[in-house]
Amino acid sequence: MAPSVLYPICMPTGWGPERKIGHVTSSPHIPLVRTLTSLQLFQHAITHHDVMFVYVGATSQLKGNYTSASEELIVHTYFFSATRDVLPEGVSLAFLPAVVVFKDGTFFTYSEEHDGDLKSWIKRERFPNFLKIDSYTLYAMGESGKLVVLALVEEGFQSEESLRYKTLVEKVAAEHRDTYSRNFYFGFMEGSEYIRGYVMGEVTVPSLMVVSLSNDGYFLPPCPVDTEDHLLDFMDGILEGSVEAQGGNDVAQRVRRWIYEAKVSLTPVFRDAPVLGCFLVGFPPSMAAIFLYLCCKNRPNLNEDEDEVAVTASSAQRSKSLAEKKAD
C-alpha cells in the first residue's frame, strides 16, 4: 500500500524529534478527544506535543472510529478535534472528514484505502519518525509490528563515529520516509546495557542494528555501514529476506535466554557473597538428589516379590495335593 501523502508545513520552535514522548492518562474532567476551538489553541498544542492526532470535520462514522481508538490509546498519545478554519493555512486537506497526524515538522492524512484500519494506523504513527529510544519506548514499538533501525551510541559524550551513525539514521529516516516508514522506525539508543540483555551477548558501541520486537529477533549488517547506500542496502536485504535474522523466540532461544538470565542474576551474588551463591546453586540439586535417593530406597524389590509369590504358589500347590490324597 502506498504511504500517506507528505505535506510541507512550518512548525513552531521546539518541534524537535529528540524531545521525550509524553504519556497522558484519562481523567473524568478531561475528555479523551479535546476540542481545539482556535488557531492559538492549535499552535499551543502542537508546540507541546511531539505527536498529535486531530479529527477534522463534522460527525461521521470516521469520528466514531476515531473516538473508539482514543479510548484504548489515550495513554500513549494525544487526540484532538477541530474544524477546518482552526487549522493553519499551510494545512491543505483534500477531503473532509479527515484524521491528521502532526509530527516531524509536517503532517500526514489518514487514508483507509492506503493505511488500512484506523486504530492500527494510529499505533504505527504514534512515534516520531526519528527519536531517542529507551527500553520502554523500544518495547512499546513492538506493538506496531515494525522493525527498529537503531544507532547504538555512547552515553554522555559521543564520539565522532557515534555522531556519524546517528546522523546517518536520521537522514535516511527523513529522506526515505515514504519508502520505509511502513516497515521501520528509526532512532538511537545511548548505552548498550538493554541491548546486551536483548541479544544475550556483547554489543559494539557505536554500531548499527535492526531490532524485531515482534519475535525478539535482530539483524546485524553483513558489512560495514559507511554510507547512506550501505544502510539502504542493509534495510532492503532485511525486507527481501537476504539478511539472516538472529535471535528469536523459539524453544532453543527461550532455554538460552533462561540460562543467560540466571547467569546474569547469579554473577553478582557469587562476586559479592560466594558462600551464599554456592548455597543457592547447590541447594536445589542437593534436595533433588536426596529425594531421588529416598524414592529409590523405598522402591519395592521386584525379585523379593517374585520369590514370595513363588513360595506362596508352591505352598498352595502342596496343600492342594494333600487335599486330593485325603479325598482318595
Side-chain angles (χ1 to χ4, degrees):
M1 294 183 288
S4 301
V5 180
L6 174 64
Y7 300 93
I9 180 174
C10 180
M11 295 300 174
T13 303
W15 185 265
E18 294 187 17
R19 292 174 57 195
K20 186 176 181 180
I21 300 174
H23 299 279
V24 296
T25 56
S26 59
S27 167
H29 306 292
I30 301 177
L32 298 177
V33 180
R34 286 171 280 181
T35 303
L36 302 173
T37 57
S38 67
L39 178 59
Q40 290 74 21
L41 283 177
F42 176 87
Q43 295 289 5
H44 176 80
I46 208 170
T47 303
H48 288 79
H49 304 312
D50 292 295
V51 179
M52 57 181 273
F53 293 87
V54 182
Y55 173 84
V56 185
T59 301
S60 65
Q61 179 63 43
L62 179 62
K63 186 174 184 179
N65 295 339
Y66 180 75
T67 303
S68 176
S70 71
E71 294 176 355
E72 177 181 337
L73 303 174
I74 188 63
V75 297
H76 300 299
T77 189
Y78 300 91
F79 294 89
F80 298 91
S81 65
T83 57
R84 177 64 189 86
D85 58 335
V86 167
L87 303 181
E89 293 182 359
V91 180
S92 176
L93 301 179
F95 52 84
L96 290 178
V99 176
V100 187
V101 58
F102 293 86
K103 65 177 186 177
D104 301 322
T106 186
F107 71 92
F108 308 93
T109 304
Y110 165 73
S111 168
E112 183 176 5
E113 179 183 357
H114 293 154
D115 301 312
D117 177 66
L118 175 61
K119 187 182 297 183
S120 299
W121 177 76
I122 293 174
K123 287 182 178 180
R124 293 196 304 268
E125 296 292 342
R126 68 185 181 91
F127 297 100
N129 200 36
F130 176 84
L131 73 160
K132 179 180 179 180
I133 299 175
D134 56 21
S135 57
Y136 173 81
T137 306
L138 188 63
Y139 177 80
M141 286 176 165
E143 298 178 358
S144 68
K146 287 187 181 183
L147 304 170
V148 183
V149 181
L150 202 57
L152 299 175
V153 300
E154 299 96 345
E155 293 185 82
F157 178 80
Q158 294 173 7
S159 65
E160 183 178 345
E161 187 73 357
S162 289
L163 294 175
R164 186 181 69 82
Y165 279 131
K166 184 177 171 183
T167 302
L168 178 60
V169 173
E170 184 175 12
K171 182 180 180 182
V172 169
E175 297 182 359
H176 300 273
R177 186 191 190 283
D178 289 350
T179 305
Y180 295 103
S181 63
R182 181 168 294 278
N183 301 108
F184 293 97
Y185 287 123
F186 300 85
F188 68 96
M189 176 177 283
E190 295 182 350
S192 61
E193 181 178 356
Y194 180 81
I195 293 298
R196 283 203 310 269
Y198 185 84
V199 304
M200 295 180 287
E202 291 300 318
V203 178
T204 302
V205 176
S207 63
L208 285 173
M209 67 184 303
V210 173
V211 178
S212 175
L213 279 303
S214 60
N215 63 359
D216 295 332
Y218 61 95
F219 302 85
L220 297 177
C223 59
V225 179
D226 297 324
T227 66
E228 180 179 340
D229 288 338
H230 290 162
L231 180 54
L232 294 176
D233 290 342
F234 176 39
M235 294 164 57
D236 288 337
I238 293 173
L239 296 178
E240 295 167 0
S242 60
V243 177
E244 183 180 359
Q246 302 184 46
N249 55 7
D250 57 16
V251 175
Q253 284 295 323
R254 291 176 184 176
V255 172
R256 184 185 170 203
R257 183 166 295 280
W258 182 84
I259 295 173
Y260 175 82
E261 291 175 352
K263 178 182 176 182
V264 170
S265 300
L266 291 174
T267 297
V269 178
F270 275 100
R271 183 182 62 244
D272 301 331
V275 176
L276 177 61
C278 292
F279 174 78
L280 292 176
V281 173
F283 181 74
S286 300
M287 294 301 297
I290 294 173
F291 177 76
L292 291 175
Y293 171 76
L294 293 176
C295 289
C296 293
K297 184 177 180 181
N298 295 327
R299 184 181 179 184
N301 192 312
L302 295 179
N303 292 332
E304 292 180 356
D305 291 347
E306 292 174 357
D307 293 341
E308 183 177 348
V309 170
V311 170
T312 303
S314 178
S315 300
Q317 185 65 33
R318 286 198 299 269
S319 298
K320 182 178 180 181
S321 299
L322 290 174
E324 290 176 351
K325 288 182 180 179
K326 289 180 180 181
D328 293 342

